[in-house]
Amino acid sequence: MPGIALVGIQWGDEGKGKVTDLLAEKTDLVVRYQGGNNAGHTIVVDGERYALHLVPTGVLYPDCVPVIGSGVVVDPQVLLEEMETLAGRGVDTKRLLLSGNAHLIMPYHLELDRVSERRLGKNRLGTTKRGIGPAYADKAARIGLRAQDLLDPKIFSEKLTVALKEKNLLLTRVYGRLPLEQADIERAYLDYGERLRPHITDTSSVVQAALDGGKTVLFEGAQATMLDLDHGTYPFVTSSNPVAGGACAGTGVGPRDIQRIIGISKAYCTRVGSGPFPSEADPADAEILVEAGAEYGTTTGRKRRCGWFDAVVGRYAARLNTLTELVITKLDVLSAFDPIRICVAYDYEDQRFDAFPPNQTIFNKCVPVYEELDGWMEDITGARRIEDLPKEARGYIERIEELVGVPISWTSVGPGREQIVRVTT
Ligand code: GDP
Ligand code: IMO
Ligand code: MG
């Protein structure tokens, strides 16, 4: 099975980094297909913590080629800094490949992300302020600059002139900010281009050749299904398509090249930023989850909103991604609760919804229907085999599997690479 996609099925931070790392050992290429440095993927190896934002997780294995596909938006300064930090820790980043078609995050995208959030006031989305939305907006408006433009100063300058004219009008006339200088941007970006030159290539051909040659390619999703621009809780979403289908558009492979689709979910649920979250816990339980799960954002350090596992969201994600398996992370965090709640359906007015509701008015106002399961109230971080887990913990996993309708292959019981339990044989 050479093509594997790994996707978050909630609102992000499910532990995709940890699970990608687990699979990357036996993988030839790890390919990011969407998002940018709004992502924060954490891997803990022998007590050493790596937080990756743009570089694909496979970088930690010397035989794995990390690839940034065309669907990713790239802040070249952040990418170079991340590569330098990794190199400083002894991780070789020379193999990294960057699609020439990937769009660039420009200084005005960062500025526009900040000022538009400020303008929205209490209606703000709570973005990561990394310029993601404005960069994707320019891509769609066809005034974006791409990684390959960094290698041709004349084209870069021409495209920047067109884009900057509009952005400076927006920044000065609408937002009352100072204009940005073309020469400053050109100088900085062309220097980034020279440094990135050895990495920029046609990654779509590289990935296809690997698949055709029977190599294993892992498509590493960032963000998650409920943050998907088309299928998530719009407008409280990111500006790309994290769903498994996005892996095709964002790398240039066809749907038949992906055979295994792994959904990653926490044993409970978290969300950073604004927007509806039906199974959000009451403040006292949320606080316990924050503390037990160290629920602070990897990218922005914001405290994550916490709640219970939502099986309606799980079923919706299983359908949208055609999941072939599910991995449940952070099971250890639930050791703090007895009983444990699972949201199994939503009530809205006199209607019950087992499936994801058809419009956002219902989703915003629905009341979660909970089922309570016995907790285990003991430390499970040392479990390595399914038999090591208390029967209540196994019962919890089985119930999630039943409610979502997708087989659970692994469950994770701590942040470390080794803290993982195989569920199905
Ligand atoms: P990602 O964005 O999906 O890669 O997830 P993040 O790295 O942003 O957030 C997941 C957090 O949970 C990180 O701090 C991980 O180290 C941590 N983590 C992952 N799996 C487990 C687990 O099974 N138990 C615990 N306690 N922490 C975990
Ligand atoms: P990983 O890959 C959690 C959220 C932001 C905000 C919304 C839009 O680590 O799971 P954006 O900056 O993308 O325009 O913000 O999306 N968000 C994430 N939340 N994990 C992420 O990535 C996220 N990337 C974006 O908090 O609500
Ligand atoms: Mg994260």
Side-chain angles (χ1 to χ4, degrees):
M1 283 214 185
I4 307 169
L6 187 146
V7 296
I9 71 156
Q10 298 168 317
W11 279 276
D13 304 325
E14 295 90 348
K16 297 178 291 295
K18 173 173 169 166
V19 183
T20 304
D21 175 66
L22 186 78
L23 296 169
E25 190 180 5
K26 296 197 181 97
T27 298
D28 299 294
L29 272 73
V30 173
V31 192
R32 275 278 308 270
Y33 57 88
Q34 45 67 232
N37 59 312
N38 47 351
H41 296 179
T42 318
I43 300 114
V44 180
V45 188
D46 299 331
E48 281 235 24
R49 182 177 179 276
Y50 298 86
L52 300 172
H53 300 283
L54 265 171
V55 175
T57 298
V59 73
L60 298 183
Y61 290 99
D63 294 329
C64 181
V65 179
V67 180
I68 299 178
S70 58
V72 177
V73 285
V74 176
D75 184 327
Q77 185 183 356
V78 172
L79 177 58
L80 285 161
E81 279 169 9
E82 193 165 319
M83 288 165 72
E84 268 165 27
T85 306
L86 284 166
R89 295 176 71 179
V91 178
D92 180 12
T93 58
K94 287 199 191 69
R95 307 172 319 280
L96 178 85
L97 300 179
L98 167 61
S99 167
N101 288 354
H103 277 250
L104 299 172
I105 296 182
M106 305 296 292
Y108 44 81
H109 294 139
L110 292 164
E111 185 79 359
L112 286 167
D113 201 354
R114 281 192 288 263
V115 291
S116 63
E117 279 284 272
R118 209 172 301 150
R119 180 178 55 86
L120 284 168
K122 71 174 178 35
N123 294 321
R124 69 182 174 277
L125 307 177
T127 74
T128 58
K129 300 200 177 79
R130 300 298 191 265
I132 306 296
Y136 278 115
D138 277 2
K139 174 178 176 176
R142 293 157 298 185
I143 54 163
L145 280 85
R146 302 191 291 175
Q148 59 181 290
D149 299 329
L150 294 170
L151 307 179
D152 186 331
K154 189 163 170 284
I155 289 204
F156 185 86
S157 181
E158 279 170 19
K159 289 188 175 177
L160 182 60
T161 306
V162 173
L164 197 58
K165 206 168 169 185
E166 186 209 30
K167 303 302 170 193
N168 273 341
L169 278 175
L170 200 56
L171 286 171
T172 56
R173 305 257 179 98
V174 177
Y175 293 106
R177 310 289 298 173
L178 290 172
L180 299 178
E181 288 295 332
Q182 168 126 359
D184 293 345
I185 302 177
E186 267 184 37
R187 200 175 316 114
Y189 273 63
L190 292 176
D191 173 54
Y192 302 146
E194 279 317 306
R195 290 157 67 195
L196 288 171
R197 186 182 284 276
H199 304 275
I200 299 174
T201 189
D202 169 13
T203 54
S204 149
S205 303
V206 173
V207 175
Q208 194 62 56
L211 287 164
D212 291 346
K215 297 207 164 143
T216 305
V217 178
L218 179 60
F219 298 90
E220 177 183 11
Q223 291 79 53
T225 305
M226 298 308 286
L227 290 172
D228 187 277
L229 180 59
D230 289 83
H231 306 287
T233 49
Y234 191 90
F236 301 102
V237 292
T238 192
S239 298
S240 64
N241 290 112
V243 292
C248 296
T251 58
V253 307
R256 284 194 291 144
D257 279 318
I258 304 176
Q259 294 83 15
R260 186 174 163 200
I261 302 167
I262 308 171
I264 314 295
S265 173
K266 279 180 188 167
Y268 49 100
C269 201
T270 65
R271 160 160 222 178
V272 204
S274 323
F277 181 5
S279 66
E280 188 161 16
D282 64 45
D285 283 340
E287 202 50 43
I288 298 174
L289 286 166
V290 167
E291 290 314 313
E295 293 297 353
Y296 294 91
T298 311
T299 300
T300 57
R302 287 177 290 175
K303 194 194 251 192
R304 296 176 182 142
R305 296 159 64 193
C306 290
W308 306 105
F309 183 84
D310 185 334
V312 183
V313 162
R315 287 191 285 269
Y316 181 55
R319 167 165 77 79
L320 288 171
N321 296 294
T322 56
L323 297 182
T324 58
E325 70 190 80
L326 194 57
V327 175
I328 301 294
T329 62
K330 303 190 94 160
L331 188 66
D332 53 302
V333 175
L334 290 182
S335 296
F337 293 93
D338 186 16
I340 304 170
R341 300 177 111 185
I342 296 185
C343 167
V344 293
Y346 304 143
D347 277 344
Y348 175 73
E349 296 180 340
D350 54 357
Q351 258 185 297
R352 176 147 300 186
F353 289 88
D354 297 311
F356 198 74
N359 67 55
Q360 66 168 17
T361 307
I362 303 174
F363 190 71
N364 285 340
K365 295 193 182 146
C366 68
V367 178
V369 179
Y370 287 114
E371 182 175 293
E372 291 195 339
L373 274 78
D374 291 339
W376 48 92
M377 299 295 277
E378 64 178 272
D379 182 4
I380 58 167
T381 54
R384 296 292 175 270
R385 292 165 315 156
I386 191 78
E387 309 85 83
D388 299 338
L389 290 175
K391 75 171 187 325
E392 294 83 359
R394 277 181 274 148
Y396 185 75
I397 290 285
E398 277 163 26
R399 186 65 183 132
I400 289 183
E401 187 171 275
E402 214 168 66
L403 287 166
V404 176
V406 174
I408 294 174
S409 50
W410 300 86
T411 188
S412 166
V413 291
R417 203 180 245 179
E418 70 297 345
Q419 290 178 297
I420 191 94
V421 172
R422 182 98 185 132
V423 176
T424 48
T425 47

